[in-house]
Amino acid sequence: MRRLWQALLGLLLVLGTAGTLAGDLAIGHDASQDLRRSFDVLEDRDGRLTFEDVLAPAVQARFHALRPLGPGPNFGLTHSVYWLRVTLRTARDAPADWLLEIAYPPLDRIEVIAVDATGRRQQHAGGDSRSFASRAVAHRNHVFPLRLAPGQTTTLYLRVQSEGTVSVPARLWQPTALWRHDQAAYAALSLYFGLLLGLMLYNMLLFVSLREPGYVFYVAFVAAMGMSQVALSGLGAQYLWPRSTWWNGVSAPVGLTVTAIFGLLFARSFLASAQRMRTLDRILLAQMAGWGLALAAELALPYTIANWMVTILAPASVITMTVVGVMSIRRGIAGASHFFTAWALLLLGVAILSLHNIGILPSNAVTANALLIGSALEMVLLSFALGDRINVARRFKEQAQARIAAERAMVGALSQAQERLKEVLEEREIILENSLVGIVFLTGAGRLKWANRAMLEILGVDEPVTTLEPFYLSREHYLEVGAEVARTVGRGEVYERELQVRRRDGTLIWILLSGKAVGGDDLAQGTVWVVRNISPRKQLEQQLRATMSEREAILNNAVVGIVLSVYRRHEWVNEKFAQMLGYPKQILIGQSSIYIHPSEQEWERFGEEARAALIATNGYTCERQLRRRNGELFWVEMGGSCVRANDPDSGVIWTFLDITERKRSEAQMREALEQQQALNALRARFVAMTSHEFRTPLAAILSAEEVLRHHGDRLTPQDRAETLDSIAMGVQRMTRMMDRVLLLGRADAQMLAFEPHEVNVPVLCRRLVEEVWAQHPETHCEIAVRAAPGVGTCRCDEKLLRHIFGNLLFNAIKYSPGGGRVRFNVRAEDAELVFEVADQGIGIPPDEIPHLFESFHRASNVGSIQGTGLGLAIVKNAVQVHGGRISVDSALGQGTTFTVRLPLVEVSA
């Protein structure tokens, strides 16, 4: 045993010392980082140090590394406050978002402070003395979000304080890695609590059956253990009492104390210690009193006092149980071996947890959950002990009953043998005569020797007959059955057959004939036959077959597909369903329904949804896609109901209605609606544009007309000319706008003329720049045009090119109100002419770029800059007529670049 303890302690120390050098830790791409061996520690005995005090050089010098072979950051039961420090050096390509987990829920107060190289702080507070709603991350353990800047150094400080054990099993996690780890942790806890619930229910049923108080004590013991583990695992604070901080602090020791009290009660009841081991029974009673005092201390006194009492009483109680178990084994008490093993395992778990709580052992998955592991094994073995005791009691009871029965049989047999022998023949005669079935004894020659009253009634005769031949349909029928009987009975087998026979009055009836030879396979000794009139059953069978045929015809001719499915296999399908899928009906029966779904994932998802609905409401309807035999997907409206209410395992009847055409019509209607909505939006934008763009020049023309009408005689020639010029400019502006609308209309109607001819591209580009300069002499922009070497003439429509690049250059100047450089470049690339128009203007919002080429669309950031929203729509249509494509790259406040790619059709020299 000593070597076992040494090996176990060595294993725990190895687990506890795994980690990196103290005080400094490199953070890379690992899913998690264990911080336990990387901390420097500072003990604040009176708890007065603030974080600013800790940052002082003198206090920083007091930090020291944890002992390499000690328990790590596990300081046992202490009143001191502990400061932990570690420097995290984050790699340049490491993720920035991390989660710090302290996997010890009973800690009272935790403060987390992270200081990066720039002095920026991240601060969080937690602990089970705070309400669960105040936690930074909703988790059963204490989890805090940290952001570590890649390529920088961050110093992490932890301030921990607790009235109980101060243990800091800290680990850094990437968020997704923590969630994956939690799945396994919650699965293990689910298995544990599921085991507890199963043991409770099982032993409660045993109590109801046997009425022994030991089972009630065991159920209460298991329930209390479950409550303590709920508290220790953090699940209580998360789900059961998230707002009760006081109860969260005392629930774990209260649960363990109540567990110990009911465990001692169970042991006294199980071992009957009051009658068998009176001295030890007094010790058990004394310990129960001690646990009662501990319970009162937990509810009324400081937590530390109660915690020390639990830490001392727990090993003492389990050791006592183990000793009692050894003594019970020696005395041969039923289930004692299981009882001893159970408490020995719990003793091991309590010892490990106690050494962990006082700071001797490190904090890891084994030591922190030692009680969880030991208690699970202990409760299972105690249940085995109860079962073993039941088996032993049952064996004793059966042996006693067997002895009593044997004695009674011996006494009764002597007195009843003679009388019974006389009664047997009379009883059998009465039974046979009054039997509801016909009984016949035939001689070896087939002559009727004896028949009971029921047999005569079946044949319709009043007196016994000597042969059954007249009741067969014919002589041949009689001989055929006789030959079959000879062959079957001659092999020592029972002959059985349904026959149609004729009663004495000529009525045809059906009988079930079964019989065998009296002497095994020797017909000479005669045969015994049982005859039953099965005519009513035959009539019902005929009616049932007719009804089934009618219903089969109705279901097969239904306009909807119908399927009976049991455990998701087709037990029966109608013709309509087979036609829907394109399979012969015989192939579908017996097949799993997976093949009719688009994928296995869809099949599994549908099964989960449908099963839940059928259990809850006994019905399920949906619209979904199925797969035909040729792979084509089609839409069905399907509904199902259980054969037995709310029990899908009894079978489900499904109906299928092909709604593919309806779905197609709905899609067409939605598409038409979307087109109508787009047309309405386009009409609204057109009305808004025309009302704005026409109103401005019309107002100028009207104003000029009023000046000429009322003040024309007083205007100087220069003023008169300016007024007429404003009228001309307004008319020209309206004319250009109408030209654009008409041009866009021709483009949308596929009537845009495309007349390619030989064009000198560099010359055209320079002319376009000169024309733009001429139209906008007041601009502050600088326009640079550049044609790469190798760009010469090509076949294209010069008029459309003027529309394209005139609009792009005009927009580049218009949307660069602050000036800047406008670049107009052209180059040849992969049999294409690539034109780029780039500016340094206001840019385009990213979410509006997809709508940029729509008619009458203008960006939301253009402000008071005038425009119609038609230019880029005309540009896109002109590019598409050339068989080219256009793209845009823009950043708000930095400028926009339009790239036009046209097929290069060179002109031969």
Side-chain angles (χ1 to χ4, degrees):
M1 180 63 74
R2 181 178 181 183
R3 291 182 179 178
L4 176 62
W5 274 102
Q6 290 175 345
L8 180 60
L9 289 174
L11 173 61
L12 295 173
L13 289 174
V14 169
L15 292 173
T17 57
T20 58
L21 294 177
D24 201 345
L25 183 64
I27 304 298
H29 286 280
D30 292 341
S32 66
Q33 295 280 354
D34 190 353
L35 303 182
R36 289 176 297 178
R37 286 293 165 186
S38 302
F39 283 119
D40 290 335
V41 63
L42 169 66
E43 182 179 5
D44 181 9
R45 294 185 180 275
D46 53 11
R48 296 180 180 178
L49 290 178
T50 66
F51 181 64
E52 301 302 331
D53 297 334
V54 171
L55 293 179
V59 179
Q60 288 284 313
R62 291 166 53 191
F63 277 91
H64 60 85
L66 294 169
R67 291 175 295 170
L69 296 179
N74 181 11
F75 308 104
L77 296 171
T78 176
H79 292 288
S80 298
V81 174
Y82 281 88
W83 288 86
L84 303 176
R85 180 189 67 189
V86 62
T87 301
L88 306 175
R89 303 187 183 278
T90 310
R92 292 184 179 277
D93 56 349
D97 293 321
W98 294 82
L99 294 175
L100 172 65
E101 179 192 30
I102 300 177
Y104 190 60
L107 279 175
D108 290 346
R109 287 170 288 280
I110 306 169
E111 293 183 23
V112 178
I113 307 170
V115 184
D116 61 17
T118 63
R120 185 175 62 87
R121 296 182 184 179
Q122 304 175 55
Q123 291 186 262
H124 300 285
D128 70 350
S129 63
R130 298 166 61 93
S131 66
F132 188 84
S134 65
R135 297 193 180 185
V137 177
H139 197 278
R140 66 184 185 89
N141 291 326
H142 307 293
V143 179
F144 308 93
L146 290 180
R147 187 169 184 83
L148 305 179
Q152 295 187 14
T153 299
T154 301
T155 303
L156 178 64
Y157 292 89
L158 301 181
R159 183 185 187 274
V160 291
Q161 182 180 9
S162 185
E163 294 182 359
T165 300
V166 179
S167 178
V168 192
R171 179 177 288 271
L172 270 180
W173 293 90
Q174 292 188 25
T176 55
L178 177 59
W179 306 144
R180 288 194 298 268
H181 171 76
D182 282 346
Q183 290 181 348
Y186 279 110
L189 290 172
S190 298
L191 289 175
Y192 177 80
F193 292 113
L195 172 65
L196 264 61
L197 182 61
L199 292 173
M200 289 172 58
L201 294 176
Y202 172 70
N203 286 278
M204 182 57 72
L205 291 175
L206 290 177
F207 168 73
V208 172
S209 175
L210 301 177
R211 298 295 179 180
E212 291 191 16
Y215 293 101
V216 175
F217 296 147
Y218 176 81
V219 170
F221 169 74
V222 173
M225 181 66 76
M227 184 187 75
S228 65
Q229 294 305 325
V230 163
L232 289 172
S233 64
L235 295 175
Q238 183 175 6
Y239 296 111
L240 301 182
W241 48 80
R243 298 182 180 178
S244 179
T245 56
W246 174 82
W247 175 248
N248 190 40
V250 302
S251 56
V254 167
L256 292 173
T257 301
V258 176
T259 301
I261 293 173
F262 281 108
L264 292 169
L265 285 172
F266 168 75
R268 293 184 70 244
S269 174
F270 181 83
L271 301 174
S273 59
Q275 294 79 28
R276 296 173 177 172
M277 298 171 282
R278 295 185 177 181
T279 302
L280 281 175
D281 186 65
R282 296 190 187 97
I283 296 174
L284 294 178
L285 291 173
Q287 289 182 355
M288 288 174 60
W291 281 109
L293 292 175
L295 180 60
E298 289 159 0
L299 297 175
L301 298 180
Y303 181 83
T304 304
I305 297 174
N307 207 352
W308 275 108
M309 293 179 69
V310 171
T311 303
I312 294 171
L313 284 171
S317 297
V318 179
I319 290 172
T320 302
M321 293 293 188
T322 308
V323 173
V324 171
V326 173
M327 297 179 65
S328 301
I329 292 174
R330 290 180 177 177
R331 297 189 181 189
I333 297 175
S337 59
H338 292 302
F339 183 87
F340 167 74
T341 307
W343 288 105
L345 289 173
L346 184 61
L347 173 61
L348 179 61
V350 170
I352 293 174
L353 184 62
S354 300
L355 294 174
H356 166 271
N357 288 347
I358 61 177
I360 297 177
L361 292 181
S363 181
N364 52 53
V366 176
T367 58
N369 298 293
L371 184 59
L372 188 76
I373 298 170
S375 64
L377 297 175
E378 184 247 3
M379 285 182 285
V380 171
L381 288 172
L382 286 181
S383 182
F384 288 168
L386 288 171
D388 190 21
R389 197 168 86 169
I390 292 174
N391 291 333
V392 171
R394 182 185 293 113
R395 286 197 297 270
F396 286 156
K397 182 178 181 180
E398 290 175 351
Q399 290 173 1
Q401 290 176 343
R403 286 195 300 270
I404 293 173
E407 292 172 357
R408 289 178 178 176
M410 292 176 63
V411 174
L414 294 175
S415 61
Q416 295 178 2
Q418 185 67 32
E419 183 179 353
R420 183 62 178 166
L421 184 61
K422 296 179 181 178
E423 295 176 354
V424 166
L425 293 177
E426 296 177 3
E427 290 176 355
R428 291 184 178 178
E429 183 72 22
I430 295 172
I431 291 172
L432 293 175
E433 185 64 27
N434 294 279
S435 174
L436 297 177
V437 298
I439 302 175
V440 178
F441 176 70
L442 299 180
T443 65
R447 310 298 290 177
L448 192 149
K449 188 175 183 180
W450 179 87
N452 67 349
R453 185 183 305 118
M455 183 64 196
L456 298 178
E457 292 175 355
I458 291 173
L459 297 178
V461 296
D462 298 327
E463 68 284 345
V465 294
T466 58
T467 179
L468 295 177
E469 180 179 353
F471 303 98
Y472 281 82
L473 300 180
S474 63
R475 171 72 177 176
E476 292 74 14
H477 189 207
Y478 173 73
L479 295 176
E480 174 194 345
V481 173
E484 291 180 0
V485 170
R487 289 193 298 270
T488 303
V489 176
R491 294 193 297 268
E493 300 174 0
V494 175
Y495 178 82
E496 186 172 282
R497 179 177 173 180
E498 293 181 355
L499 297 174
Q500 193 174 29
V501 297
R502 180 179 289 106
R503 287 164 52 92
R504 173 65 60 86
D505 60 6
T507 306
L508 295 178
I509 62 170
W510 281 91
I511 63 170
L512 175 63
L513 179 67
S514 58
K516 62 180 296 185
V518 175
D521 56 357
D522 185 7
L523 288 173
Q525 298 183 28
T527 54
V528 177
W529 298 91
V530 175
V531 180
R532 287 186 294 171
N533 187 352
I534 60 172
S535 297
R537 193 192 78 188
K538 282 291 185 178
Q539 293 174 358
L540 289 175
E541 288 178 357
Q542 275 187 330
Q543 294 173 1
L544 180 61
R545 280 195 295 269
T547 302
M548 290 296 293
S549 298
E550 292 173 358
R551 293 184 179 178
E552 182 86 8
I554 293 171
L555 294 175
N556 277 324
N557 289 281
V559 296
V560 297
I562 303 174
V563 173
L564 171 61
S565 176
V566 180
Y567 294 110
R568 307 197 73 184
R569 289 187 174 276
H570 296 153
E571 294 297 321
W572 181 87
V573 301
N574 72 342
E575 292 291 345
K576 183 62 178 180
F577 182 73
Q579 293 172 7
M580 281 185 184
L581 297 178
Y583 287 94
K585 178 180 175 181
Q586 293 74 14
I587 293 179
L588 299 178
I589 295 177
Q591 296 295 325
S592 169
S593 61
I594 187 172
Y595 68 97
I596 69 173
H597 291 266
S599 64
E600 184 176 353
Q601 293 77 15
E602 289 289 329
W603 178 70
E604 292 176 350
R605 187 180 304 111
F606 169 74
E608 294 172 359
E609 296 174 359
R611 182 176 179 84
L614 289 169
I615 292 174
T617 66
N618 195 44
Y620 178 71
T621 57
C622 66
E623 294 181 0
R624 62 189 310 107
Q625 282 186 306
L626 300 182
R627 184 185 300 278
R628 300 188 198 273
R629 185 178 189 179
N630 58 7
E632 174 190 354
L633 296 178
F634 69 105
W635 282 93
V636 297
E637 178 180 338
M638 57 186 298
S641 59
C642 301
V643 175
R644 286 199 304 267
N646 305 99
D647 180 14
D649 293 337
S650 65
V652 182
I653 298 175
W654 293 99
T655 59
F656 299 83
L657 179 63
D658 191 339
I659 59 172
T660 304
E661 289 301 325
R662 191 187 80 189
K663 284 287 186 180
R664 186 177 294 113
S665 299
E666 291 175 355
Q668 292 172 353
M669 291 175 64
R670 283 195 297 270
E671 182 179 356
L673 179 60
E674 291 171 358
Q675 291 177 354
Q676 183 63 35
Q677 291 173 343
L679 183 59
N680 291 339
L682 180 63
R683 184 182 297 111
R685 291 201 299 268
F686 174 75
V687 171
M689 183 275 297
T690 54
S691 63
H692 177 269
E693 293 298 325
F694 275 98
R695 187 179 294 113
T696 302
L698 284 174
I701 293 171
L702 182 61
S703 176
E705 184 271 337
E706 289 178 353
V707 170
L708 291 175
R709 179 184 299 273
H710 300 292
H711 308 288
D713 55 346
R714 288 179 289 179
L715 294 177
T716 64
Q718 183 179 356
D719 291 338
R720 185 184 299 275
E722 290 178 355
T723 303
L724 292 174
D725 288 342
S726 66
I727 293 175
M729 290 176 61
V731 172
Q732 289 174 2
R733 180 177 176 184
M734 295 171 62
T735 301
R736 285 196 303 270
M737 185 172 61
M738 289 304 300
D739 288 341
R740 286 191 171 191
V741 172
L742 293 175
L743 180 62
L744 182 61
R746 289 199 300 273
D748 289 341
Q750 307 295 323
M751 296 174 61
L752 194 61
F754 177 58
E755 300 173 353
H757 60 275
E758 182 179 348
V759 176
N760 190 315
V761 175
V763 173
L764 177 62
C765 292
R766 287 192 289 272
R767 288 178 182 172
L768 288 172
V769 172
E770 292 171 358
E771 292 173 2
V772 172
W773 269 116
Q775 294 175 6
H776 304 281
E778 73 285 354
T779 183
H780 300 290
C781 294
E782 175 188 352
I783 304 178
V785 60
R786 180 179 177 275
V791 176
T793 60
C794 73
R795 288 185 59 80
C796 52
D797 190 323
E798 181 177 350
K799 183 178 179 180
L800 295 180
L801 291 184
R802 287 181 176 274
H803 282 302
I804 295 171
F805 301 110
N807 273 298
L808 293 179
L809 289 170
F810 176 73
N811 286 348
I813 294 174
K814 181 168 64 173
Y815 297 116
S816 301
R821 184 180 179 85
V822 177
R823 294 183 291 104
F824 184 22
N825 299 332
V826 59
R827 67 181 184 276
E829 182 181 290
D830 297 333
E832 289 182 329
L833 276 179
V834 181
F835 299 84
E836 289 183 351
V837 178
D839 62 56
Q840 297 175 330
I842 63 176
I844 304 169
D847 57 338
E848 297 187 22
I849 290 179
H851 307 286
L852 196 60
F853 297 100
E854 295 178 2
S855 301
F856 308 109
H857 178 83
R858 304 193 71 212
S860 58
N861 62 334
V862 298
S864 60
I865 301 174
Q866 295 183 349
T868 63
L870 296 175
L872 290 180
I874 294 172
V875 167
K876 184 175 182 181
N877 279 282
V879 171
Q880 291 176 342
V881 169
H882 274 87
R885 59 190 188 279
I886 183 171
S887 60
V888 60
D889 183 20
S890 181
L892 281 175
Q894 299 181 17
T896 304
T897 300
F898 285 90
T899 303
V900 177
R901 297 177 179 270
L902 301 179
L904 177 58
V905 182
E906 296 182 352
V907 180
S908 58

